[in-house]
Amino acid sequence: MRVAMIEVVDLVKHYRASDGSVVRAVDGVSLAVHPGEMVGLLGANGAGKTTTLRVLATLLKPTSGTARVAGCDVRHDPVGVRRSLGYVSATTGVPDRLTAREIFSSFGELHGLEAAGLAARVERLIEVLDLASCADRPAGRLSSGQRQRVSLGRALIHDPPALVLDEPTNALDVVGARDLLSFLAQLRGEGRAILLSTHRLHEIENRCDRFVIIHGGRVLATGTRDELLAAWADGQGAELEDAFFAALAGGGAG
Amino acid sequence: MRQTERHAGGLRAALAIARRDLVEFVRDRRTLFITLLLPMVTYPILALSTALGLRTASSEIEAQRAPTKIVVTVSGPDAIALVDRIGFVEKKTTGSGREGWPSAIEMEAVTAADARGRLDQGVADLWLEAPRGCIAALDADGTVAIPVHLPPGRPPNRRVRDQFDAVMRSLAEDVRSRRIQLAGLPASVLAPLKLVFVDGLEESRPPPAHSIMSTLAGGVLVLLAVLTLTGAFYPAIDAIAGEKERGTIETLLIAPCGSRDIVFGKFLAVFTVTLATLAANAVSIAATAAVSRRFLPADITMALPDSAVVAILVTVLAFAGLAALSAATCLAVTTASKSGKEAQNTLTPVILLVSALAGTALLPGMRSDSLLAAVPFSGQVLVSRGVFAAGEAGPHAVPAVLGPLAVTLLSAAAGTWLLLRATASMLTDEDILFRGGDVAGAGFNRPGRRTRPNVVQGVLPIVAGLAALWYVQGISPDDLVRAIPLQQTAAVILPLLAVTWWQRVDIRQTFRLAWPGGAAGPATWWGGVGWLVGAAALGAAVFVIGATTLLAVKGTVLSDEARLLSNKLLELMESQPAWVSWGLMAALPAVCEECLFRGWVQSGFAGRAESRQRVVAAIVAQAALFAVFHLLPERMPQTFFLGLVLGGLTHASGSLLPAIVCHIAHNSMPLALLAAGLPRWALPASVGCLLLGAVLLTNGSRGRSRMEPLE
């Protein structure tokens, strides 16, 4: 039996809104991502995707349920989670006045990497992320694609076995998005477990191994592309988007 | 969640964050301008305008002091005799006796018409009328009136009048000597006492321009305090609110280190920049002062104390503490903001508040050799002023300021530590990080129904109450029968009613409206009675011990304000029936203040979860505010201690009633003592009551910490 690198079981996250009411952002989500697997987390705005990923990144405390990364529980061993996880969100920025090289180095230091190993790791990331031409330019003067690659490099500096990305292609054009997803596929090939959320289904339809569709904080459907199409879409030429809408309609979101 | 990882990153992570932030600050032109350029241009401009002002003022003083020739015309039957007598006095008076005299006096005896004509033409400065027999009368007894006419149609020349007055004083002196001689009395009748200063203090009396320099130095220290805080302004905004705005704060929060390491790293970076600002200010002040010696009047530039190096060193040390406090304050305030703009809006009132605090150090009567040295931002200015003043008194006086320096440094360190702890707590607060408005703004929004106020809302009625108290002073009647209800209504009842209505809190939970049951078990009637009796004993004990300690430490010397209040209270007790005095002095303030401080404020500070640390911090914070609210510095330690006891009672019993009873008992003691006197056994009994109360509180607190939160 394969052990999941990212594992979420019956995760619940409630919070109190400014009017005093209780919001059930995540209400019993379960999912798993294994090493060498890329899973797409799909859902409309407010479905609970970002909250789930933030709990995995130890930015939010779960109300109940468990979330583990590399066997470390987010509640009891958050440092262990952070050592094993690379996290990139749609709102994650890069410091405008630092260069890519400085950003990688400072986060490497935060992860406790030794100087010699860190320098080699920085050079390696600059090379694989194709940042050599702009590695010493302040990040504020980089293009959106270059900034997103710097952000990804920052998340990979400590060579984590698990990667969580929240809408990573949002700010990118078609070419930038394709390059980023290709690179993620390469990382999956290296054995990393990748969980990413996105609204742009066509971009990941043929790249993710499995998908989890959530709505209203609950999981509506889960499976491979073919399994979802078989369960939620009919007819030839159906796409993941059709299954997604059908699942939402079936789950009461229609 | 992050408490378990406190030592995960440690100092290494903090230093990595500090290095990273410092590189960012150095590349921000705005920070460089505020840190280095602003101090370099501020002091020269200040010095230039001050030097111009001082030179003008000094020139005016010199011009007023400079003797001039005055022309006096004298008319009347005894005109010639008076001119002769004044001429005689002029010849007789020499040396210091001529202080304030004109350089020369031109006198002539003319007719009244000529005298008026000369005065009208501006030829003469003054016209005297010498009545018949005035000289004879001067040599006899009585007081001779000599009419003096000033030039018409133009303002009288003050300098001429002063110089003529000096001459006339000498004439009067001569007349007195003649009368003493005629009476056969010794000359010593006019000078029965002469002070001889043997330690040279007379020589070291500061020159008149010294007061200008002292005022200027105080102003520069206040400016230095404000500019030091300004040095932390942009770096702090950039360090946290800026990171939130850029979306980079999450990347730090998912690094394998604790929030305290992150905050400490950011503090190190902001503190470094603030120290650099302080250094730039110090260099600019020194350079400006060195250059200004060439332009300022000589008596002003020579006013530097002998032990200037020690004074500067003490000032730098005191202000290093202020720099730490500034960095921590700015970080704490900006952590509650979600963007740079929001942080600027929040920090601007803080700068105004700090300016006011620093400025209070210049008020008359503020001394550094007291607990005032511990007041943030005022203490540092007080200590620095004190060391310069001590330096002027001689190097031997400088060690006396080392105590206040230690107090202000300890206070700054404690304040910094508390602020950093609060910042670390706020940094990972999910509400602040991901949802809703900023905490500072939340106090002004009408929220949905909730169980308790938050921290900001907890402070609001106190701020409003203090402001109302100030305004009420203007219309407050003198007699306490009307003044006390008016002040309690304005300062406590109305603000409290307003915030309670606005914030829509659960009144029962916020004000702990429950029968005191303690934590050990379900509330029982007898258990509650036990709490109330114990609370009453505790209140009486705290008063007796506090008053005894105050008498032992301070004696019977009171400030003017305290003496005035005591006299009014005594007057009230003597003039009114006992129940009226008791109601006004004991019951009404106790009920009002308990609802405000142990009800509203403590509930807001303790929060919903009521963790042990949070409860302790809430009790200490509300006690400090309770002490400040009473506005009398000499009573603050006693009031603070009472606030701690009342806060502990409220938490331990889960009810506001014991605190109200304790407070009433405390306030009733002056009435009881006035009626019955102080028995010998009062002090030992009070200590016993206090110990008993402490044991009860400790037991109650232990039980309470095991209980589930109230909500």
Side-chain angles (χ1 to χ4, degrees):
Chain A
M1 181 183 169
R2 283 203 300 167
V3 178
M5 181 61 71
I6 299 172
E7 187 181 18
V8 175
V9 180
D10 291 331
L11 183 69
V12 174
K13 177 63 185 173
H14 295 170
Y15 62 86
R16 196 178 290 269
S18 58
D19 63 359
S21 61
V22 173
V23 177
R24 298 168 183 276
V26 175
D27 205 12
V29 166
S30 297
L31 59 87
V33 186
H34 297 91
E37 191 178 30
M38 183 147 72
V39 173
L41 187 59
L42 312 179
N45 284 339
K49 303 187 299 293
T50 299
T51 304
T52 303
L53 300 186
R54 279 177 175 164
V55 170
L56 276 169
T58 72
L59 290 167
L60 292 176
K61 297 164 193 152
T63 306
S64 66
T66 56
R68 292 193 197 93
V69 176
C72 302
D73 190 289
V74 294
R75 196 194 301 265
H76 302 114
D77 186 11
V79 172
V81 170
R82 291 176 205 154
R83 289 197 190 285
S84 307
L85 183 76
Y87 175 72
V88 178
S89 81
T91 56
T92 300
V94 288
D96 287 345
R97 296 188 288 273
L98 297 182
T99 66
R101 197 184 300 278
E102 288 167 341
I103 292 168
F104 294 168
S105 297
S106 66
F107 279 95
E109 283 180 39
L110 276 177
H111 278 278
L113 303 185
E114 294 303 322
L118 175 59
R121 179 77 186 151
V122 169
E123 292 310 318
R124 171 78 184 135
L125 280 173
I126 288 172
E127 184 190 331
V128 300
L129 289 164
D130 194 20
L131 290 167
S133 61
C134 57
D136 295 311
R137 197 186 302 164
R141 288 162 51 194
L142 301 180
S143 68
S144 299
Q146 287 170 328
R147 286 166 68 87
Q148 191 65 315
R149 272 182 279 155
V150 172
S151 192
L152 190 58
R154 190 264 313 149
L156 290 170
I157 188 70
H158 55 299
D159 199 13
L163 205 53
V164 168
L165 304 101
D166 190 6
E167 301 178 11
T169 60
N170 253 12
L172 302 181
D173 60 17
V174 181
V175 178
R178 187 196 61 189
D179 290 349
L180 182 76
L181 290 168
S182 298
F183 184 66
L184 291 179
Q186 192 182 322
L187 294 173
R188 174 184 56 185
E190 292 171 3
R192 292 179 217 271
I194 300 173
L195 175 64
L196 79 156
S197 74
T198 183
H199 292 295
R200 296 154 77 164
L201 305 190
H202 61 279
E203 285 179 351
I204 60 164
E205 184 165 5
N206 295 309
R207 292 184 187 271
C208 288
D209 301 299
R210 287 189 300 115
F211 300 91
V212 177
I213 300 174
I214 65 172
H215 181 76
R218 293 170 181 272
V219 175
L220 294 182
T222 181
T224 64
R225 175 180 177 276
D226 292 340
E227 286 169 349
L228 288 176
L229 289 180
W232 295 97
D234 51 1
Q236 290 293 317
E239 294 181 345
L240 182 62
E241 200 168 84
D242 301 318
F244 174 73
F245 284 124
L248 289 191
Chain B
M1 190 185 296
R2 283 180 174 260
Q3 286 87 337
T4 55
E5 34 160 303
R6 191 164 56 187
H7 303 294
L11 190 60
R12 182 177 169 164
L15 290 175
I17 291 169
R19 270 198 301 274
R20 165 187 175 275
D21 279 8
L22 272 173
V23 172
E24 284 208 75
F25 296 159
V26 168
R27 290 178 186 165
D28 181 17
R29 288 177 188 167
R30 190 178 48 181
T31 302
L32 288 180
F33 173 79
I34 297 288
T35 308
L36 302 174
L37 200 59
L38 192 62
M40 286 300 172
V41 298
T42 300
Y43 295 100
I45 290 171
L46 179 71
L48 200 60
S49 55
T50 307
L52 286 172
L54 282 177
R55 286 175 74 83
T56 307
S58 185
S59 301
E60 282 178 6
I61 291 170
E62 281 176 20
Q64 280 184 1
R65 281 190 199 152
T68 53
K69 176 185 170 184
I70 62 174
V71 178
V72 180
T73 58
V74 185
S75 67
D78 273 7
I80 295 173
L82 183 60
V83 168
D84 287 348
R85 177 59 70 88
I86 293 173
F88 170 77
V89 171
E90 187 185 4
K91 282 179 189 158
K92 181 185 160 192
T93 310
T94 55
S96 62
R98 294 177 75 105
E99 192 173 321
W101 273 47
S103 59
I105 313 172
E106 186 181 311
M107 301 191 76
E108 53 181 348
V110 295
T111 63
D114 284 349
R116 177 167 294 284
R118 284 167 187 264
L119 200 63
D120 291 346
Q121 291 161 16
V123 176
D125 296 308
L126 294 164
W127 164 28
L128 308 185
E129 288 185 59
R132 186 178 302 281
C134 71
I135 294 300
L138 281 177
D139 289 338
D141 54 11
T143 301
V144 178
I146 298 178
V148 182
H149 299 268
L150 295 169
R154 51 196 161 94
N157 187 329
R158 180 81 210 174
R159 187 169 26 152
V160 169
R161 280 191 60 175
D162 289 347
Q163 292 177 359
F164 182 69
D165 276 349
V167 175
M168 289 296 106
R169 279 197 300 274
S170 297
L171 173 63
E173 183 69 32
D174 176 64
V175 170
R176 275 194 293 272
S177 298
R178 285 167 186 262
R179 289 181 179 181
I180 290 285
Q181 204 174 354
L182 282 171
L185 295 171
S188 60
V189 168
L190 288 175
L193 181 69
K194 185 181 181 186
L195 298 178
V196 180
F197 292 94
V198 293
D199 59 356
L201 272 179
E202 202 171 24
E203 282 71 33
S204 67
R205 188 186 297 161
H210 173 267
S211 60
I212 300 173
M213 194 61 193
S214 179
T215 307
L216 186 64
V220 168
L221 286 171
V222 171
L223 185 64
L224 184 61
V226 175
L227 282 182
T228 304
L229 179 78
T230 314
F233 189 90
Y234 280 115
I237 290 174
D238 203 33
I240 296 190
E243 292 242 36
K244 285 182 187 174
E245 200 170 357
R246 293 189 294 271
T248 51
I249 194 75
E250 289 177 18
T251 62
L252 280 181
L253 293 175
I254 56 169
C257 56
S259 54
R260 290 183 195 170
D261 301 324
I262 296 171
V263 168
F264 187 57
K266 289 193 170 291
F267 167 74
L268 287 178
V270 178
F271 181 46
T272 304
V273 176
T274 315
L275 278 181
T277 308
L278 177 61
N281 276 282
V283 168
S284 181
I285 289 171
T288 306
V291 174
S292 69
R293 292 170 74 92
R294 296 181 56 185
F295 299 101
L296 288 172
D299 52 349
I300 290 178
T301 55
M302 293 307 289
L304 282 172
D306 296 336
S307 48
V309 175
V310 179
I312 289 168
L313 193 64
V314 169
T315 302
V316 167
L317 275 174
F319 273 72
L322 186 141
L325 203 55
S326 299
T329 303
C330 289
L331 274 178
V333 173
T334 59
T335 302
S337 307
K338 292 177 79 74
S339 68
K341 187 181 175 189
E342 200 172 277
Q344 284 187 29
N345 291 341
T346 318
L347 264 178
T348 304
V350 173
I351 288 190
L352 293 176
L353 180 68
V354 167
S355 305
L357 270 174
T360 55
L362 302 183
L363 294 175
M366 298 292 273
R367 292 158 55 97
S368 62
D369 57 345
S370 65
L371 282 178
L372 290 173
V375 178
F377 301 103
S378 298
Q380 288 82 5
V381 177
L382 272 177
V383 168
S384 302
R385 272 192 82 197
V387 75
F388 275 102
E392 282 160 13
H396 62 279
V398 170
V401 299
L402 295 181
L405 174 66
V407 169
T408 200
L409 282 175
L410 279 174
S411 160
T416 302
W417 184 76
L418 283 172
L419 285 164
L420 292 183
R421 288 290 299 266
T423 305
S425 171
M426 281 192 289
L427 188 66
T428 50
D429 187 296
E430 294 176 7
D431 283 334
I432 298 173
L433 259 181
F434 297 115
R435 288 186 291 273
D438 62 315
V439 167
F444 303 98
N445 299 330
R446 191 171 194 197
R449 293 191 182 281
R450 55 179 56 212
T451 46
R452 296 182 185 194
N454 66 21
V455 175
V456 176
Q457 293 154 358
V459 180
L460 279 181
I462 296 180
V463 176
L466 283 172
L469 196 60
W470 175 260
Y471 288 120
V472 160
Q473 300 295 320
I475 56 168
S476 188
D478 283 337
D479 71 299
L480 293 182
V481 178
R482 285 182 295 155
I484 290 177
L486 178 68
Q487 289 175 4
Q488 290 292 333
T489 304
V492 181
I493 297 172
L494 288 180
L496 199 51
L497 283 176
V499 289
T500 306
W501 167 77
W502 179 253
Q503 300 294 342
R504 293 193 281 207
V505 295
D506 182 319
I507 291 175
R508 191 181 62 82
Q509 289 222 16
T510 300
F511 294 102
R512 314 250 182 178
L513 302 182
W515 185 245
T524 62
W525 195 86
W526 282 110
V529 170
W531 271 104
L532 298 182
V533 172
L538 208 55
V542 168
F543 179 86
V544 173
I545 291 171
T548 311
T549 310
L550 192 66
L551 279 172
V553 174
K554 291 264 182 187
T556 53
V557 180
L558 293 173
S559 68
D560 291 342
E561 293 80 8
R563 195 181 310 112
L564 189 67
L565 182 64
S566 299
N567 290 339
K568 280 187 172 181
L569 290 174
L570 280 172
E571 196 179 314
L572 175 75
M573 286 189 272
E574 286 163 0
S575 65
Q576 297 295 327
W579 69 270
V580 173
S581 304
W582 180 81
L584 291 172
M585 285 174 57
L588 180 64
V591 173
C592 291
E593 288 170 10
E594 287 318 301
C595 287
L596 176 61
F597 287 96
R598 264 58 66 178
W600 182 272
V601 178
Q602 188 166 318
S603 292
F605 286 3
R608 281 181 297 175
E610 288 210 333
S611 67
R612 179 186 290 269
Q613 283 182 331
R614 184 87 184 257
V615 166
V616 171
I619 291 174
V620 173
Q622 63 81 22
L625 287 171
F626 180 60
V628 171
F629 196 77
H630 283 77
L631 298 177
L632 287 174
E634 58 260 64
R635 280 182 58 194
M636 279 183 187
Q638 188 184 353
T639 321
F640 176 70
F641 183 64
L642 176 65
L644 289 180
V645 171
L646 295 168
L649 265 177
T650 306
H651 175 70
S653 66
S655 166
L656 197 62
L657 277 176
I660 291 175
V661 171
C662 180
H663 200 152
I664 290 176
H666 177 274
N667 289 5
S668 302
M669 283 308 288
L671 287 160
L673 292 177
L674 197 72
L678 185 67
R680 280 186 182 176
W681 45 265
L683 193 59
S686 299
V687 174
C689 284
L690 199 67
L691 291 174
L692 186 65
V695 171
L696 281 173
L697 279 179
T698 310
N699 278 337
S701 296
R702 279 183 190 151
R704 173 66 60 191
S705 67
R706 287 195 300 271
M707 288 181 77
E708 288 300 312
L710 285 174
E711 293 155 56

